């Protein structure tokens, strides 16, 4: 992402803030895995969205209209010894020269400098409850300033939810964001295709997970956007199955929900197919039903339609299909009204997608489903889950969980499927699996 794009975002946010206000955004804390081993550091999405700065221990401050400096970045001071162990850090010069800060101070001076910046402000834009250390310090600074206020100084009184403004900005993806998301989806698509070719009975679920991760990592996407779900047979019916440690059996289906993260943007793709590469009649019946539901849902992705229209279309198709297969009884209006399909399709048809896999942005505005607009990115992922032992369902349909998930961007004309390179029809999948 270009440095000017981060600047544009900061300006856009500052335009929505009134004079006399200040925004404070910390990056994510580093987290310990065990003893002195850390998880790989991942900056906070809101923080990175505005700064492009990926070192830990940093706080961004925005003060619209401030003459000397509107954007101040607190970050680690240069430390030669630390740099020898951990590599170079931007320091205060780098923050200004390479990251476009108007001014920068060592993070160790935060307690001394930031309260002075707060003193003349009446509104603080801040996401309370996300960083307990900074929440605590901020409340201490405010208490101190208030006690001074009694002796005549103005005090910052109001804390405004920063999320509201920032998350609305993040919901509309720019051209360069969509380009990064497309790259992420392409890398994941290649990995999904490779897994399809590798898959065979007798393999372990984690072996396919490794194939997926390897394929992404050698293209530079070393992190996954979330923990992969690789479930064979009945495991495919567990929505958040991540053990991935069972053997894949001939005659079973495999559900793989996996997506890499690239430059802090997520992909999120699911495919389901037979472990042995050939759909049985019963598997094909259920699969085609979910595919029809997914295609019907995608057709509803267009400007002017609201958030829930893809879900409504998916639900209707699935309920109709389940009635036809005899898995649901009664009439369609009754199945929809009583939501009897929810026993087999219990989740929603998608979510916003972006820097976070379940990305930010409201789904409703003033109590109404939000209208889809160009630049919004979402997943479309209906499913059907029939665990073993489900009473009243023929045995041939049991032990099968199916989800088909694509990443979609709303365009002026309708939609663009970022993950369209992954085989999806029965013929495409069977043909991909035969390619060894
Ligand atoms: N992989 C998480 C999801 O599909 O929402
Ligand atoms: Mn998803
Ligand atoms: Mn997913």
């Amino acid at each position: 992402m270009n440095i000017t794009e981060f600047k544009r975002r900061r300006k856009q946010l500052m335009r929505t803030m009134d004079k006399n206000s200040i925004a404070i955004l910390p990056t994510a804390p580093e987290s310990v895995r065990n003893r002195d081993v850390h998880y790989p550091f991942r900056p906070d999405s809101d923080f990175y969205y505005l700064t492009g700065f990926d070192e830990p221990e940093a706080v961004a401050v925005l003060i619209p209209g401030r003459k000397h400096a509107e954007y101040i970045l607190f970050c680690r001071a240069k430390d030669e010894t630390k740099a020898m162990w951990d590599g170079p850090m931007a320091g205060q010069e780098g923050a200004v020269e390479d990251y476009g800060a108007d001014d920068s101070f060592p993070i160790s001076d935060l307690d001394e400098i930031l309260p002075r910046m707060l003193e003349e402000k009446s509104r603080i834009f801040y996401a309370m409850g996300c960083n307990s250390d900074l929440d605590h310090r901020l409340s201490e600074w405010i208490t101190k300033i208030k006690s001074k206020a009694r002796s005549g100084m103005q005090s910052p009184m109001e804390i405004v939810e920063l999320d509201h403004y920032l998350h609305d900005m993040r919901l509309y993806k720019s051209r360069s964001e969509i380009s990064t998301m497309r790259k992420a989806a392409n890398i994941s698509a290649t990995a999904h295709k490779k897994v399809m070719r590798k898959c065979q009975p007798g393999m372990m679920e984690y072996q396919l997970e490794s194939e997926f991760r390897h394929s992404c990592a050698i293209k530079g996407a070393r992190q996954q956007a979330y923990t992969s779900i690789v479930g064979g047979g009945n495991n495919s019916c567990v929505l958040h199955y991540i053990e991935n440690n069972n053997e894949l059996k001939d005659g079973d289906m495999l559900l793989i929900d996996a997506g890499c993260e690239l430059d802090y943007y997520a992909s999120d793709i699911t495919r389901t197919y037979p472990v042995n590469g050939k759909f049985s009649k019963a598997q094909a019946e259920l699969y085609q039903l979910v595919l029809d539901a997914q295609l019907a849902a995608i057709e509803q992705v267009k400007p002017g339609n609201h958030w829930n229209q893809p879900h409504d279309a998916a639900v209707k198709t699935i309920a109709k299909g389940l009635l036809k297969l005899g898995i649901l009884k009664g009439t369609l209006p009754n199945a929809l009204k009583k939501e009897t399909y929810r026993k087999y399709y219990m989740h929603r048809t998608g979510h916003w997608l972006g820097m976070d896999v379940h990305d930010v942005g409201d789904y409703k505005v003033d109590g109404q489903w939000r209208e889809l607009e160009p630049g919004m990115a979402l997943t479309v992922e209906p499913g059907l889950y029939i665990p073993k032992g489900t009473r009243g369902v023929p045995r041939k349909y049991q032990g099968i969980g199916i989800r088909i998930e694509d990443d979609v961007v709303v365009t002026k004309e309708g939609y663009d499927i970022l993950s369209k390179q992954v085989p999806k029809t029965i013929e495409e999948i069977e043909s991909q699996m035969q390619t060894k």
Side-chain angles (χ1 to χ4, degrees):
M1 213 71 61
N2 193 301
I3 184 171
T4 54
E5 173 138 356
F6 296 109
K7 185 173 180 178
R8 181 184 60 71
R9 294 171 184 170
R10 291 191 296 271
K11 290 269 177 226
Q12 189 182 340
L13 177 65
M14 283 196 276
R15 273 200 300 275
T16 67
M17 295 166 61
D18 32 9
K19 274 256 144 58
N20 226 10
S21 65
I22 179 169
I24 303 172
L25 290 102
T27 193
E30 286 184 286
S31 38
V32 173
R33 181 178 184 274
N34 59 305
R35 201 163 160 81
D36 54 359
V37 178
H38 285 81
Y39 285 104
F41 177 71
R42 179 12 174 115
D44 175 78
S45 298
D46 283 342
F47 174 87
Y48 187 85
Y49 180 80
L50 290 176
T51 63
F53 192 72
D54 58 4
E55 288 182 20
E57 297 187 85
V59 174
V61 176
L62 299 175
I63 311 178
R66 184 165 177 262
K67 280 216 180 64
H68 167 56
E70 286 190 312
Y71 167 36
I72 305 102
L73 183 60
F74 289 85
C75 60
R76 299 180 303 188
K78 273 209 162 126
D79 175 335
E80 295 305 328
T81 314
K82 199 167 163 41
M84 195 171 70
W85 288 90
D86 299 334
M89 53 194 86
Q92 276 54 67
E93 303 80 27
V96 172
E97 277 160 29
D98 303 330
Y99 293 94
D102 299 322
D103 204 354
S104 172
F105 299 97
I107 188 75
S108 52
D109 292 348
L110 191 73
D111 282 305
E112 192 191 323
I113 296 173
L114 190 48
R116 291 213 297 268
M117 295 175 170
L118 287 175
E119 269 173 9
E120 317 98 57
K121 303 295 164 217
S122 55
R123 304 180 98 195
I124 305 170
F125 286 70
Y126 180 72
M128 219 15 130
C130 300
N131 182 314
S132 56
D133 173 51
L134 198 57
D135 288 359
H136 185 72
R137 285 157 80 181
L138 185 61
S139 93
E140 277 188 352
W141 299 331
I142 293 174
T143 310
K144 267 202 197 128
I145 294 168
K146 277 191 175 169
S147 70
K148 278 200 213 164
R150 283 192 278 279
S151 53
M153 192 173 272
Q154 191 197 335
S155 70
M157 290 314 296
E158 196 185 358
I159 293 197
V160 184
E161 271 302 323
L162 178 60
D163 301 15
H164 183 68
Y165 298 90
L166 197 48
H167 292 180
D168 210 63
M169 283 170 61
R170 279 179 55 191
L171 180 55
Y172 298 87
K173 272 68 181 175
S174 69
R175 203 182 292 225
S176 65
E177 286 181 291
I178 291 171
S179 156
T180 304
M181 290 177 72
R182 193 184 305 281
K183 283 185 199 149
N186 278 338
I187 291 174
S188 294
T190 303
H192 271 285
K193 286 200 274 187
K194 181 179 171 203
V195 171
M196 282 181 188
R197 295 194 299 270
K198 289 270 174 189
C199 179
Q200 53 179 313
M203 286 184 82
M204 302 298 286
E205 292 162 344
Y206 56 72
Q207 290 179 310
L208 292 183
E209 179 185 14
S210 323
E211 293 289 354
F212 188 91
R213 296 180 67 109
H214 176 260
S215 179
C216 297
I218 56 168
K219 296 211 180 65
R222 292 173 56 216
Q223 303 297 329
Q224 295 291 302
Y226 53 94
T227 308
S228 310
I229 296 168
V230 186
N234 209 45
N235 297 334
S236 60
C237 300
V238 180
L239 295 180
H240 289 160
Y241 176 77
I242 51 169
E243 281 78 10
N244 304 350
N245 58 1
N246 278 271
E247 192 181 313
L248 296 164
K249 303 260 169 51
D250 199 355
D252 278 354
M253 291 282 268
L254 164 74
L255 182 155
I256 170 165
D257 181 346
C260 70
E261 178 179 276
L262 183 73
D263 297 340
Y264 307 119
Y265 283 83
S267 56
D268 181 7
I269 304 173
T270 309
R271 287 294 183 268
T272 311
Y273 40 89
V275 169
N276 63 18
K278 189 96 190 94
F279 283 83
S280 71
K281 186 161 176 288
Q283 287 168 348
E285 282 170 344
L286 294 182
Y287 185 85
Q288 191 59 47
L289 173 48
V290 179
L291 182 55
D292 290 344
Q294 204 231 15
L295 297 175
I298 291 175
E299 282 308 313
Q300 294 302 316
V301 176
K302 57 180 154 197
N305 273 10
H306 64 66
W307 167 258
N308 213 42
Q309 276 172 271
H311 181 68
D312 285 342
V315 158
K316 200 165 166 190
T317 309
I318 286 196
K320 226 188 223 172
L322 289 176
L323 285 164
K324 200 163 161 216
L325 294 174
I327 295 172
L328 284 182
K329 312 274 182 264
T331 63
L332 182 62
N334 199 48
L336 294 175
K337 188 160 164 245
K338 297 234 168 95
E339 301 188 341
T340 49
Y341 58 84
R342 285 191 62 143
K343 183 171 176 200
Y344 308 107
Y345 177 33
M346 60 298 282
H347 59 75
R348 298 206 42 90
T349 300
H351 49 80
W352 301 130
L353 182 72
M355 296 191 74
D356 295 306
V357 61
H358 294 165
D359 208 33
V360 294
D362 293 331
Y363 293 98
K364 284 189 171 178
V365 176
D366 299 328
Q368 303 293 320
W369 292 114
R370 186 167 202 143
E371 260 192 28
L372 298 173
E373 293 177 61
M376 294 176 169
L378 60 146
T379 65
V380 180
E381 50 175 309
L384 198 51
Y385 309 89
I386 308 179
K388 277 196 178 128
T390 304
R391 292 193 16 199
V393 177
R395 191 167 293 202
K396 61 182 179 178
Y397 296 134
Q398 292 185 14
I400 297 178
I402 296 168
R403 180 164 62 255
I404 306 173
E405 176 174 31
D406 279 308
D407 301 344
V408 181
V409 175
V410 185
T411 63
K412 270 202 212 115
E413 296 76 30
Y415 57 83
D416 182 9
I417 306 176
L418 302 180
S419 48
K420 56 177 164 261
Q421 317 238 17
V422 196
K424 191 158 73 169
T425 65
I426 289 177
E427 297 72 33
E428 285 167 355
I429 289 175
E430 288 186 344
S431 146
Q432 182 70 212
M433 292 185 80
Q434 272 162 29
T435 314
K436 294 293 171 191

